[in-house]
Amino acid sequence: MKIATWNVNSIRQRQTHVLDWLKRNEPDLLLLQETKCEAHQFPAQVFEDAGYVCNVVGQKSYNGVAILSRQPVDVLARSLPGLNDPEPPARYIEVRLGTLTVGDLYLPNGNSGGAAGFQGKLEFFDALERHAAVMLREGRDFILAGDYNVCPTDRDFAPGALPPTDALVRPESRAAFRRLLWLGLTDAVRALHPDETIYTFWDYQAGAFHRDLGLRIDHLLLSPRVAERLTSAAPDREERAMQQPSDHVPVMITLD
DNA sequence: ATGGCTCCTAAGAGGAGA
C-alpha cells in the first residue's frame, strides 16, 4: 500500500503536475494541502477520470485539503476534532480505508498574525496531540500526515535557510512535534533514514532549490502497528525540478 | 537581503506563505 502527502500550492495551478504524478506513482492515497479553492472549484473530474475518488475540504483563497483515493473511503472528519472554532479553516480532513484511519493536515505556519498567529499554531498542535492520544487509547491504526510546518531538528533544514526565530524552528513548535512522537508515533521518513539530509520544501526565491537550501516540514506520523508495516519512505525530489512546480514535493511511504 | 518568488483576490497593491 502506498500513501503520499503533497502541499501543491494551488490545485488549479498544479492540476497537471498532480495528474501526471498520480499516473507515474499510483498511490492508493494522496493527501493534498494548500489546494487554495472552494470545494466546488476543485478539479475533481480530471482525477476521477484517472481512477481516483476525491474528498475535498476547501475555502476561498487559502488553505484547503483533499484526499484522493483509488477506493471509496468513509470521511470521518472535515475539521480537526477539539479545535473550538465556529468556522474552522480548511486545514484537516480524516478518512477511513478499511481499518486504517488517515488524517490529512495543514498546520498553520505561525509566522503571520503576530503572537496570536503563533498561538494558533500551538493550539492546532495541542488539538492534534489530544486527538492522537484518543485514537491510541482506542487502539486504532492511523496515520497523521501533511504539512506540519515544523523542521523537527537542526538536521531538518539547510544552515542559514531560516532564522532561529522562525515559527518553523521555534522551540515551542519543535516541542509540540516531539510530544506527538512521545505518544508513540513514528516519523516515517526519519525512522528509515536517520542520518540523511532530506528536504521536502525549497523556497521559490533566490535559487533555493538550486543551492539546496531546503526544509523538511512535510511528515507522515504512524501509529505503532502501522509503523511495523513500513518498508519505504521518501520525498520525490525530482518534482521540484519540473516547470512551474509547487514549492513542496510529494512524500510517499510504502506499507506491507 | 529587512521575502530576492508564487499564490490569492480583484482591478490596486497587498497579504500569506516558510
mmCIF file with all atom_site columns, all heavy atoms in Angstrom, chain A residues 164-190:
data_model
loop_
_atom_site.group_PDB
_atom_site.id
_atom_site.type_symbol
_atom_site.label_atom_id
_atom_site.label_alt_id
_atom_site.label_comp_id
_atom_site.label_asym_id
_atom_site.label_entity_id
_atom_site.label_seq_id
_atom_site.pdbx_PDB_ins_code
_atom_site.Cartn_x
_atom_site.Cartn_y
_atom_site.Cartn_z
_atom_site.occupancy
_atom_site.B_iso_or_equiv
_atom_site.pdbx_formal_charge
_atom_site.auth_seq_id
_atom_site.auth_comp_id
_atom_site.auth_asym_id
_atom_site.auth_atom_id
_atom_site.pdbx_PDB_model_num
ATOM 1   N N   . PRO A 1 164 ? 16.676 31.661 13.543 1.00 0.00 ? 164 PRO A N   1
ATOM 2   C CA  . PRO A 1 164 ? 16.260 30.840 14.689 1.00 0.00 ? 164 PRO A CA  1
ATOM 3   C C   . PRO A 1 164 ? 14.948 31.289 15.320 1.00 0.00 ? 164 PRO A C   1
ATOM 4   O O   . PRO A 1 164 ? 14.362 30.546 16.108 1.00 0.00 ? 164 PRO A O   1
ATOM 5   C CB  . PRO A 1 164 ? 17.423 30.994 15.677 1.00 0.00 ? 164 PRO A CB  1
ATOM 6   C CG  . PRO A 1 164 ? 18.164 32.196 15.232 1.00 0.00 ? 164 PRO A CG  1
ATOM 7   C CD  . PRO A 1 164 ? 17.957 32.331 13.770 1.00 0.00 ? 164 PRO A CD  1
ATOM 8   N N   . THR A 1 165 ? 14.491 32.493 14.953 1.00 0.00 ? 165 THR A N   1
ATOM 9   C CA  . THR A 1 165 ? 13.215 32.981 15.490 1.00 0.00 ? 165 THR A CA  1
ATOM 10  C C   . THR A 1 165 ? 12.023 32.540 14.651 1.00 0.00 ? 165 THR A C   1
ATOM 11  O O   . THR A 1 165 ? 10.878 32.797 15.013 1.00 0.00 ? 165 THR A O   1
ATOM 12  C CB  . THR A 1 165 ? 13.224 34.519 15.522 1.00 0.00 ? 165 THR A CB  1
ATOM 13  O OG1 . THR A 1 165 ? 13.556 34.992 14.196 1.00 0.00 ? 165 THR A OG1 1
ATOM 14  C CG2 . THR A 1 165 ? 14.242 35.043 16.512 1.00 0.00 ? 165 THR A CG2 1
ATOM 15  N N   . ASP A 1 166 ? 12.263 31.873 13.533 1.00 0.00 ? 166 ASP A N   1
ATOM 16  C CA  . ASP A 1 166 ? 11.170 31.479 12.642 1.00 0.00 ? 166 ASP A CA  1
ATOM 17  C C   . ASP A 1 166 ? 10.263 30.458 13.336 1.00 0.00 ? 166 ASP A C   1
ATOM 18  O O   . ASP A 1 166 ? 10.733 29.563 14.048 1.00 0.00 ? 166 ASP A O   1
ATOM 19  C CB  . ASP A 1 166 ? 11.739 30.888 11.352 1.00 0.00 ? 166 ASP A CB  1
ATOM 20  C CG  . ASP A 1 166 ? 10.687 30.791 10.266 1.00 0.00 ? 166 ASP A CG  1
ATOM 21  O OD1 . ASP A 1 166 ? 9.834  29.879 10.351 1.00 0.00 ? 166 ASP A OD1 1
ATOM 22  O OD2 . ASP A 1 166 ? 10.703 31.628 9.349  1.00 0.00 ? 166 ASP A OD2 1
ATOM 23  N N   . ALA A 1 167 ? 8.954  30.593 13.058 1.00 0.00 ? 167 ALA A N   1
ATOM 24  C CA  . ALA A 1 167 ? 7.970  29.705 13.697 1.00 0.00 ? 167 ALA A CA  1
ATOM 25  C C   . ALA A 1 167 ? 8.183  28.238 13.324 1.00 0.00 ? 167 ALA A C   1
ATOM 26  O O   . ALA A 1 167 ? 7.697  27.353 14.019 1.00 0.00 ? 167 ALA A O   1
ATOM 27  C CB  . ALA A 1 167 ? 6.556  30.141 13.331 1.00 0.00 ? 167 ALA A CB  1
ATOM 28  N N   . LEU A 1 168 ? 8.908  27.960 12.236 1.00 0.00 ? 168 LEU A N   1
ATOM 29  C CA  . LEU A 1 168 ? 9.141  26.576 11.826 1.00 0.00 ? 168 LEU A CA  1
ATOM 30  C C   . LEU A 1 168 ? 10.211 25.886 12.663 1.00 0.00 ? 168 LEU A C   1
ATOM 31  O O   . LEU A 1 168 ? 10.315 24.658 12.642 1.00 0.00 ? 168 LEU A O   1
ATOM 32  C CB  . LEU A 1 168 ? 9.534  26.516 10.346 1.00 0.00 ? 168 LEU A CB  1
ATOM 33  C CG  . LEU A 1 168 ? 8.369  26.584 9.371  1.00 0.00 ? 168 LEU A CG  1
ATOM 34  C CD1 . LEU A 1 168 ? 7.634  27.902 9.426  1.00 0.00 ? 168 LEU A CD1 1
ATOM 35  C CD2 . LEU A 1 168 ? 8.808  26.258 7.970  1.00 0.00 ? 168 LEU A CD2 1
ATOM 36  N N   . VAL A 1 169 ? 11.016 26.699 13.348 1.00 0.00 ? 169 VAL A N   1
ATOM 37  C CA  . VAL A 1 169 ? 12.085 26.112 14.169 1.00 0.00 ? 169 VAL A CA  1
ATOM 38  C C   . VAL A 1 169 ? 12.045 26.584 15.619 1.00 0.00 ? 169 VAL A C   1
ATOM 39  O O   . VAL A 1 169 ? 12.929 26.229 16.400 1.00 0.00 ? 169 VAL A O   1
ATOM 40  C CB  . VAL A 1 169 ? 13.480 26.425 13.566 1.00 0.00 ? 169 VAL A CB  1
ATOM 41  C CG1 . VAL A 1 169 ? 13.639 25.744 12.214 1.00 0.00 ? 169 VAL A CG1 1
ATOM 42  C CG2 . VAL A 1 169 ? 13.706 27.927 13.429 1.00 0.00 ? 169 VAL A CG2 1
ATOM 43  N N   . ARG A 1 170 ? 11.029 27.378 15.969 1.00 0.00 ? 170 ARG A N   1
ATOM 44  C CA  . ARG A 1 170 ? 10.919 27.830 17.360 1.00 0.00 ? 170 ARG A CA  1
ATOM 45  C C   . ARG A 1 170 ? 10.861 26.628 18.303 1.00 0.00 ? 170 ARG A C   1
ATOM 46  O O   . ARG A 1 170 ? 10.248 25.600 17.979 1.00 0.00 ? 170 ARG A O   1
ATOM 47  C CB  . ARG A 1 170 ? 9.654  28.678 17.541 1.00 0.00 ? 170 ARG A CB  1
ATOM 48  C CG  . ARG A 1 170 ? 9.709  30.053 16.889 1.00 0.00 ? 170 ARG A CG  1
ATOM 49  C CD  . ARG A 1 170 ? 9.995  31.167 17.877 1.00 0.00 ? 170 ARG A CD  1
ATOM 50  N NE  . ARG A 1 170 ? 9.039  31.267 18.961 1.00 0.00 ? 170 ARG A NE  1
ATOM 51  C CZ  . ARG A 1 170 ? 8.065  32.182 19.039 1.00 0.00 ? 170 ARG A CZ  1
ATOM 52  N NH1 . ARG A 1 170 ? 7.886  33.044 18.047 1.00 0.00 ? 170 ARG A NH1 1
ATOM 53  N NH2 . ARG A 1 170 ? 7.288  32.232 20.093 1.00 0.00 ? 170 ARG A NH2 1
ATOM 54  N N   . PRO A 1 171 ? 11.474 26.738 19.483 1.00 0.00 ? 171 PRO A N   1
ATOM 55  C CA  . PRO A 1 171 ? 11.469 25.608 20.431 1.00 0.00 ? 171 PRO A CA  1
ATOM 56  C C   . PRO A 1 171 ? 10.064 25.101 20.762 1.00 0.00 ? 171 PRO A C   1
ATOM 57  O O   . PRO A 1 171 ? 9.858  23.891 20.895 1.00 0.00 ? 171 PRO A O   1
ATOM 58  C CB  . PRO A 1 171 ? 12.151 26.194 21.675 1.00 0.00 ? 171 PRO A CB  1
ATOM 59  C CG  . PRO A 1 171 ? 12.978 27.324 21.177 1.00 0.00 ? 171 PRO A CG  1
ATOM 60  C CD  . PRO A 1 171 ? 12.267 27.879 19.983 1.00 0.00 ? 171 PRO A CD  1
ATOM 61  N N   . GLU A 1 172 ? 9.091  26.033 20.843 1.00 0.00 ? 172 GLU A N   1
ATOM 62  C CA  . GLU A 1 172 ? 7.716  25.601 21.181 1.00 0.00 ? 172 GLU A CA  1
ATOM 63  C C   . GLU A 1 172 ? 7.132  24.728 20.069 1.00 0.00 ? 172 GLU A C   1
ATOM 64  O O   . GLU A 1 172 ? 6.404  23.760 20.346 1.00 0.00 ? 172 GLU A O   1
ATOM 65  C CB  . GLU A 1 172 ? 6.814  26.820 21.399 1.00 0.00 ? 172 GLU A CB  1
ATOM 66  C CG  . GLU A 1 172 ? 7.281  27.753 22.506 1.00 0.00 ? 172 GLU A CG  1
ATOM 67  C CD  . GLU A 1 172 ? 8.128  28.904 21.971 1.00 0.00 ? 172 GLU A CD  1
ATOM 68  O OE1 . GLU A 1 172 ? 8.953  28.663 21.047 1.00 0.00 ? 172 GLU A OE1 1
ATOM 69  O OE2 . GLU A 1 172 ? 7.978  30.030 22.476 1.00 0.00 ? 172 GLU A OE2 1
ATOM 70  N N   . SER A 1 173 ? 7.439  25.064 18.806 1.00 0.00 ? 173 SER A N   1
ATOM 71  C CA  . SER A 1 173 ? 6.936  24.268 17.680 1.00 0.00 ? 173 SER A CA  1
ATOM 72  C C   . SER A 1 173 ? 7.561  22.876 17.705 1.00 0.00 ? 173 SER A C   1
ATOM 73  O O   . SER A 1 173 ? 6.881  21.860 17.505 1.00 0.00 ? 173 SER A O   1
ATOM 74  C CB  . SER A 1 173 ? 7.268  24.958 16.355 1.00 0.00 ? 173 SER A CB  1
ATOM 75  O OG  . SER A 1 173 ? 6.802  26.290 16.339 1.00 0.00 ? 173 SER A OG  1
ATOM 76  N N   . ARG A 1 174 ? 8.859  22.843 17.921 1.00 0.00 ? 174 ARG A N   1
ATOM 77  C CA  . ARG A 1 174 ? 9.550  21.556 17.938 1.00 0.00 ? 174 ARG A CA  1
ATOM 78  C C   . ARG A 1 174 ? 9.114  20.696 19.119 1.00 0.00 ? 174 ARG A C   1
ATOM 79  O O   . ARG A 1 174 ? 8.976  19.476 19.000 1.00 0.00 ? 174 ARG A O   1
ATOM 80  C CB  . ARG A 1 174 ? 11.051 21.791 17.984 1.00 0.00 ? 174 ARG A CB  1
ATOM 81  C CG  . ARG A 1 174 ? 11.585 22.315 16.672 1.00 0.00 ? 174 ARG A CG  1
ATOM 82  C CD  . ARG A 1 174 ? 13.034 22.649 16.797 1.00 0.00 ? 174 ARG A CD  1
ATOM 83  N NE  . ARG A 1 174 ? 13.648 22.688 15.470 1.00 0.00 ? 174 ARG A NE  1
ATOM 84  C CZ  . ARG A 1 174 ? 14.932 22.931 15.273 1.00 0.00 ? 174 ARG A CZ  1
ATOM 85  N NH1 . ARG A 1 174 ? 15.729 23.167 16.307 1.00 0.00 ? 174 ARG A NH1 1
ATOM 86  N NH2 . ARG A 1 174 ? 15.421 22.943 14.058 1.00 0.00 ? 174 ARG A NH2 1
ATOM 87  N N   . ALA A 1 175 ? 8.887  21.330 20.267 1.00 0.00 ? 175 ALA A N   1
ATOM 88  C CA  . ALA A 1 175 ? 8.425  20.581 21.441 1.00 0.00 ? 175 ALA A CA  1
ATOM 89  C C   . ALA A 1 175 ? 7.053  19.966 21.151 1.00 0.00 ? 175 ALA A C   1
ATOM 90  O O   . ALA A 1 175 ? 6.777  18.828 21.540 1.00 0.00 ? 175 ALA A O   1
ATOM 91  C CB  . ALA A 1 175 ? 8.367  21.501 22.661 1.00 0.00 ? 175 ALA A CB  1
ATOM 92  N N   . ALA A 1 176 ? 6.197  20.720 20.473 1.00 0.00 ? 176 ALA A N   1
ATOM 93  C CA  . ALA A 1 176 ? 4.859  20.200 20.144 1.00 0.00 ? 176 ALA A CA  1
ATOM 94  C C   . ALA A 1 176 ? 4.962  18.993 19.220 1.00 0.00 ? 176 ALA A C   1
ATOM 95  O O   . ALA A 1 176 ? 4.236  18.010 19.377 1.00 0.00 ? 176 ALA A O   1
ATOM 96  C CB  . ALA A 1 176 ? 4.023  21.304 19.500 1.00 0.00 ? 176 ALA A CB  1
ATOM 97  N N   . PHE A 1 177 ? 5.877  19.055 18.247 1.00 0.00 ? 177 PHE A N   1
ATOM 98  C CA  . PHE A 1 177 ? 6.083  17.912 17.348 1.00 0.00 ? 177 PHE A CA  1
ATOM 99  C C   . PHE A 1 177 ? 6.630  16.715 18.124 1.00 0.00 ? 177 PHE A C   1
ATOM 100 O O   . PHE A 1 177 ? 6.183  15.574 17.950 1.00 0.00 ? 177 PHE A O   1
ATOM 101 C CB  . PHE A 1 177 ? 7.033  18.305 16.221 1.00 0.00 ? 177 PHE A CB  1
ATOM 102 C CG  . PHE A 1 177 ? 7.201  17.254 15.163 1.00 0.00 ? 177 PHE A CG  1
ATOM 103 C CD1 . PHE A 1 177 ? 6.287  17.139 14.130 1.00 0.00 ? 177 PHE A CD1 1
ATOM 104 C CD2 . PHE A 1 177 ? 8.272  16.365 15.207 1.00 0.00 ? 177 PHE A CD2 1
ATOM 105 C CE1 . PHE A 1 177 ? 6.431  16.162 13.153 1.00 0.00 ? 177 PHE A CE1 1
ATOM 106 C CE2 . PHE A 1 177 ? 8.422  15.391 14.240 1.00 0.00 ? 177 PHE A CE2 1
ATOM 107 C CZ  . PHE A 1 177 ? 7.504  15.289 13.210 1.00 0.00 ? 177 PHE A CZ  1
ATOM 108 N N   . ARG A 1 178 ? 7.596  16.977 19.019 1.00 0.00 ? 178 ARG A N   1
ATOM 109 C CA  . ARG A 1 178 ? 8.169  15.876 19.815 1.00 0.00 ? 178 ARG A CA  1
ATOM 110 C C   . ARG A 1 178 ? 7.125  15.206 20.688 1.00 0.00 ? 178 ARG A C   1
ATOM 111 O O   . ARG A 1 178 ? 7.181  13.994 20.909 1.00 0.00 ? 178 ARG A O   1
ATOM 112 C CB  . ARG A 1 178 ? 9.311  16.409 20.696 1.00 0.00 ? 178 ARG A CB  1
ATOM 113 C CG  . ARG A 1 178 ? 10.616 16.618 19.983 1.00 0.00 ? 178 ARG A CG  1
ATOM 114 C CD  . ARG A 1 178 ? 11.771 16.716 20.978 1.00 0.00 ? 178 ARG A CD  1
ATOM 115 N NE  . ARG A 1 178 ? 11.590 17.784 21.953 1.00 0.00 ? 178 ARG A NE  1
ATOM 116 C CZ  . ARG A 1 178 ? 11.948 19.050 21.751 1.00 0.00 ? 178 ARG A CZ  1
ATOM 117 N NH1 . ARG A 1 178 ? 12.494 19.413 20.618 1.00 0.00 ? 178 ARG A NH1 1
ATOM 118 N NH2 . ARG A 1 178 ? 11.756 19.950 22.682 1.00 0.00 ? 178 ARG A NH2 1
ATOM 119 N N   . ARG A 1 179 ? 6.171  15.998 21.196 1.00 0.00 ? 179 ARG A N   1
ATOM 120 C CA  . ARG A 1 179 ? 5.132  15.385 22.041 1.00 0.00 ? 179 ARG A CA  1
ATOM 121 C C   . ARG A 1 179 ? 4.334  14.345 21.259 1.00 0.00 ? 179 ARG A C   1
ATOM 122 O O   . ARG A 1 179 ? 3.907  13.331 21.823 1.00 0.00 ? 179 ARG A O   1
ATOM 123 C CB  . ARG A 1 179 ? 4.203  16.463 22.613 1.00 0.00 ? 179 ARG A CB  1
ATOM 124 C CG  . ARG A 1 179 ? 4.823  17.215 23.787 1.00 0.00 ? 179 ARG A CG  1
ATOM 125 C CD  . ARG A 1 179 ? 3.773  17.979 24.581 1.00 0.00 ? 179 ARG A CD  1
ATOM 126 N NE  . ARG A 1 179 ? 3.233  19.102 23.846 1.00 0.00 ? 179 ARG A NE  1
ATOM 127 C CZ  . ARG A 1 179 ? 3.761  20.328 23.823 1.00 0.00 ? 179 ARG A CZ  1
ATOM 128 N NH1 . ARG A 1 179 ? 4.863  20.588 24.499 1.00 0.00 ? 179 ARG A NH1 1
ATOM 129 N NH2 . ARG A 1 179 ? 3.199  21.287 23.133 1.00 0.00 ? 179 ARG A NH2 1
ATOM 130 N N   . LEU A 1 180 ? 4.137  14.568 19.958 1.00 0.00 ? 180 LEU A N   1
ATOM 131 C CA  . LEU A 1 180 ? 3.455  13.557 19.137 1.00 0.00 ? 180 LEU A CA  1
ATOM 132 C C   . LEU A 1 180 ? 4.298  12.285 19.063 1.00 0.00 ? 180 LEU A C   1
ATOM 133 O O   . LEU A 1 180 ? 3.767  11.167 19.127 1.00 0.00 ? 180 LEU A O   1
ATOM 134 C CB  . LEU A 1 180 ? 3.197  14.109 17.737 1.00 0.00 ? 180 LEU A CB  1
ATOM 135 C CG  . LEU A 1 180 ? 2.156  15.223 17.630 1.00 0.00 ? 180 LEU A CG  1
ATOM 136 C CD1 . LEU A 1 180 ? 2.171  15.824 16.230 1.00 0.00 ? 180 LEU A CD1 1
ATOM 137 C CD2 . LEU A 1 180 ? 0.770  14.700 17.975 1.00 0.00 ? 180 LEU A CD2 1
ATOM 138 N N   . LEU A 1 181 ? 5.608  12.451 18.929 1.00 0.00 ? 181 LEU A N   1
ATOM 139 C CA  . LEU A 1 181 ? 6.479  11.272 18.886 1.00 0.00 ? 181 LEU A CA  1
ATOM 140 C C   . LEU A 1 181 ? 6.478  10.558 20.231 1.00 0.00 ? 181 LEU A C   1
ATOM 141 O O   . LEU A 1 181 ? 6.465  9.319  20.287 1.00 0.00 ? 181 LEU A O   1
ATOM 142 C CB  . LEU A 1 181 ? 7.896  11.684 18.495 1.00 0.00 ? 181 LEU A CB  1
ATOM 143 C CG  . LEU A 1 181 ? 8.057  12.424 17.167 1.00 0.00 ? 181 LEU A CG  1
ATOM 144 C CD1 . LEU A 1 181 ? 9.531  12.704 16.891 1.00 0.00 ? 181 LEU A CD1 1
ATOM 145 C CD2 . LEU A 1 181 ? 7.444  11.640 16.016 1.00 0.00 ? 181 LEU A CD2 1
ATOM 146 N N   . TRP A 1 182 ? 6.468  11.327 21.304 1.00 0.00 ? 182 TRP A N   1
ATOM 147 C CA  . TRP A 1 182 ? 6.495  10.724 22.640 1.00 0.00 ? 182 TRP A CA  1
ATOM 148 C C   . TRP A 1 182 ? 5.234  9.928  22.934 1.00 0.00 ? 182 TRP A C   1
ATOM 149 O O   . TRP A 1 182 ? 5.233  9.025  23.766 1.00 0.00 ? 182 TRP A O   1
ATOM 150 C CB  . TRP A 1 182 ? 6.677  11.808 23.706 1.00 0.00 ? 182 TRP A CB  1
ATOM 151 C CG  . TRP A 1 182 ? 8.036  12.416 23.704 1.00 0.00 ? 182 TRP A CG  1
ATOM 152 C CD1 . TRP A 1 182 ? 9.163  11.916 23.150 1.00 0.00 ? 182 TRP A CD1 1
ATOM 153 C CD2 . TRP A 1 182 ? 8.396  13.670 24.297 1.00 0.00 ? 182 TRP A CD2 1
ATOM 154 N NE1 . TRP A 1 182 ? 10.213 12.774 23.344 1.00 0.00 ? 182 TRP A NE1 1
ATOM 155 C CE2 . TRP A 1 182 ? 9.771  13.853 24.051 1.00 0.00 ? 182 TRP A CE2 1
ATOM 156 C CE3 . TRP A 1 182 ? 7.710  14.643 25.003 1.00 0.00 ? 182 TRP A CE3 1
ATOM 157 C CZ2 . TRP A 1 182 ? 10.463 14.983 24.489 1.00 0.00 ? 182 TRP A CZ2 1
ATOM 158 C CZ3 . TRP A 1 182 ? 8.399  15.761 25.440 1.00 0.00 ? 182 TRP A CZ3 1
ATOM 159 C CH2 . TRP A 1 182 ? 9.756  15.928 25.182 1.00 0.00 ? 182 TRP A CH2 1
ATOM 160 N N   . LEU A 1 183 ? 4.140  10.267 22.270 1.00 0.00 ? 183 LEU A N   1
ATOM 161 C CA  . LEU A 1 183 ? 2.920  9.467  22.419 1.00 0.00 ? 183 LEU A CA  1
ATOM 162 C C   . LEU A 1 183 ? 3.129  8.054  21.888 1.00 0.00 ? 183 LEU A C   1
ATOM 163 O O   . LEU A 1 183 ? 2.385  7.135  22.238 1.00 0.00 ? 183 LEU A O   1
ATOM 164 C CB  . LEU A 1 183 ? 1.768  10.105 21.641 1.00 0.00 ? 183 LEU A CB  1
ATOM 165 C CG  . LEU A 1 183 ? 1.077  11.337 22.211 1.00 0.00 ? 183 LEU A CG  1
ATOM 166 C CD1 . LEU A 1 183 ? 0.037  11.835 21.222 1.00 0.00 ? 183 LEU A CD1 1
ATOM 167 C CD2 . LEU A 1 183 ? 0.438  11.033 23.557 1.00 0.00 ? 183 LEU A CD2 1
ATOM 168 N N   . GLY A 1 184 ? 4.135  7.918  21.005 1.00 0.00 ? 184 GLY A N   1
ATOM 169 C CA  . GLY A 1 184 ? 4.389  6.608  20.409 1.00 0.00 ? 184 GLY A CA  1
ATOM 170 C C   . GLY A 1 184 ? 4.283  6.599  18.894 1.00 0.00 ? 184 GLY A C   1
ATOM 171 O O   . GLY A 1 184 ? 4.283  5.532  18.277 1.00 0.00 ? 184 GLY A O   1
ATOM 172 N N   . LEU A 1 185 ? 4.163  7.791  18.290 1.00 0.00 ? 185 LEU A N   1
ATOM 173 C CA  . LEU A 1 185 ? 4.079  7.859  16.827 1.00 0.00 ? 185 LEU A CA  1
ATOM 174 C C   . LEU A 1 185 ? 5.476  7.825  16.211 1.00 0.00 ? 185 LEU A C   1
ATOM 175 O O   . LEU A 1 185 ? 6.456  8.234  16.833 1.00 0.00 ? 185 LEU A O   1
ATOM 176 C CB  . LEU A 1 185 ? 3.343  9.122  16.399 1.00 0.00 ? 185 LEU A CB  1
ATOM 177 C CG  . LEU A 1 185 ? 1.930  9.301  16.977 1.00 0.00 ? 185 LEU A CG  1
ATOM 178 C CD1 . LEU A 1 185 ? 1.228  10.483 16.324 1.00 0.00 ? 185 LEU A CD1 1
ATOM 179 C CD2 . LEU A 1 185 ? 1.108  8.035  16.830 1.00 0.00 ? 185 LEU A CD2 1
ATOM 180 N N   . THR A 1 186 ? 5.545  7.351  14.965 1.00 0.00 ? 186 THR A N   1
ATOM 181 C CA  . THR A 1 186 ? 6.814  7.213  14.245 1.00 0.00 ? 186 THR A CA  1
ATOM 182 C C   . THR A 1 186 ? 6.856  8.169  13.061 1.00 0.00 ? 186 THR A C   1
ATOM 183 O O   . THR A 1 186 ? 5.947  8.181  12.225 1.00 0.00 ? 186 THR A O   1
ATOM 184 C CB  . THR A 1 186 ? 6.966  5.766  13.730 1.00 0.00 ? 186 THR A CB  1
ATOM 185 O OG1 . THR A 1 186 ? 7.086  4.885  14.852 1.00 0.00 ? 186 THR A OG1 1
ATOM 186 C CG2 . THR A 1 186 ? 8.204  5.628  12.847 1.00 0.00 ? 186 THR A CG2 1
ATOM 187 N N   . ASP A 1 187 ? 7.902  8.976  13.002 1.00 0.00 ? 187 ASP A N   1
ATOM 188 C CA  . ASP A 1 187 ? 8.174  9.846  11.852 1.00 0.00 ? 187 ASP A CA  1
ATOM 189 C C   . ASP A 1 187 ? 8.742  8.942  10.754 1.00 0.00 ? 187 ASP A C   1
ATOM 190 O O   . ASP A 1 187 ? 9.902  8.525  10.803 1.00 0.00 ? 187 ASP A O   1
ATOM 191 C CB  . ASP A 1 187 ? 9.179  10.923 12.291 1.00 0.00 ? 187 ASP A CB  1
ATOM 192 C CG  . ASP A 1 187 ? 9.664  11.826 11.157 1.00 0.00 ? 187 ASP A CG  1
ATOM 193 O OD1 . ASP A 1 187 ? 9.451  11.502 9.967  1.00 0.00 ? 187 ASP A OD1 1
ATOM 194 O OD2 . ASP A 1 187 ? 10.287 12.858 11.478 1.00 0.00 ? 187 ASP A OD2 1
ATOM 195 N N   . ALA A 1 188 ? 7.897  8.627  9.742  1.00 0.00 ? 188 ALA A N   1
ATOM 196 C CA  . ALA A 1 188 ? 8.226  7.565  8.783  1.00 0.00 ? 188 ALA A CA  1
ATOM 197 C C   . ALA A 1 188 ? 9.549  7.803  8.061  1.00 0.00 ? 188 ALA A C   1
ATOM 198 O O   . ALA A 1 188 ? 10.397 6.906  7.977  1.00 0.00 ? 188 ALA A O   1
ATOM 199 C CB  . ALA A 1 188 ? 7.089  7.420  7.766  1.00 0.00 ? 188 ALA A CB  1
ATOM 200 N N   . VAL A 1 189 ? 9.747  9.002  7.532  1.00 0.00 ? 189 VAL A N   1
ATOM 201 C CA  . VAL A 1 189 ? 10.968 9.272  6.763  1.00 0.00 ? 189 VAL A CA  1
ATOM 202 C C   . VAL A 1 189 ? 12.194 9.175  7.661  1.00 0.00 ? 189 VAL A C   1
ATOM 203 O O   . VAL A 1 189 ? 13.196 8.531  7.305  1.00 0.00 ? 189 VAL A O   1
ATOM 204 C CB  . VAL A 1 189 ? 10.873 10.656 6.090  1.00 0.00 ? 189 VAL A CB  1
ATOM 205 C CG1 . VAL A 1 189 ? 12.230 11.089 5.551  1.00 0.00 ? 189 VAL A CG1 1
ATOM 206 C CG2 . VAL A 1 189 ? 9.839  10.642 4.977  1.00 0.00 ? 189 VAL A CG2 1
ATOM 207 N N   . ARG A 1 190 ? 12.134 9.771  8.839  1.00 0.00 ? 190 ARG A N   1
ATOM 208 C CA  . ARG A 1 190 ? 13.310 9.767  9.709  1.00 0.00 ? 190 ARG A CA  1
ATOM 209 C C   . ARG A 1 190 ? 13.588 8.380  10.268 1.00 0.00 ? 190 ARG A C   1
ATOM 210 O O   . ARG A 1 190 ? 14.750 8.007  10.486 1.00 0.00 ? 190 ARG A O   1
ATOM 211 C CB  . ARG A 1 190 ? 13.103 10.786 10.839 1.00 0.00 ? 190 ARG A CB  1
ATOM 212 C CG  . ARG A 1 190 ? 14.375 11.296 11.452 1.00 0.00 ? 190 ARG A CG  1
ATOM 213 C CD  . ARG A 1 190 ? 15.465 11.551 10.446 1.00 0.00 ? 190 ARG A CD  1
ATOM 214 N NE  . ARG A 1 190 ? 15.737 12.929 10.110 1.00 0.00 ? 190 ARG A NE  1
ATOM 215 C CZ  . ARG A 1 190 ? 16.481 13.296 9.057  1.00 0.00 ? 190 ARG A CZ  1
ATOM 216 N NH1 . ARG A 1 190 ? 17.007 12.389 8.238  1.00 0.00 ? 190 ARG A NH1 1
ATOM 217 N NH2 . ARG A 1 190 ? 16.709 14.559 8.801  1.00 0.00 ? 190 ARG A NH2 1
#
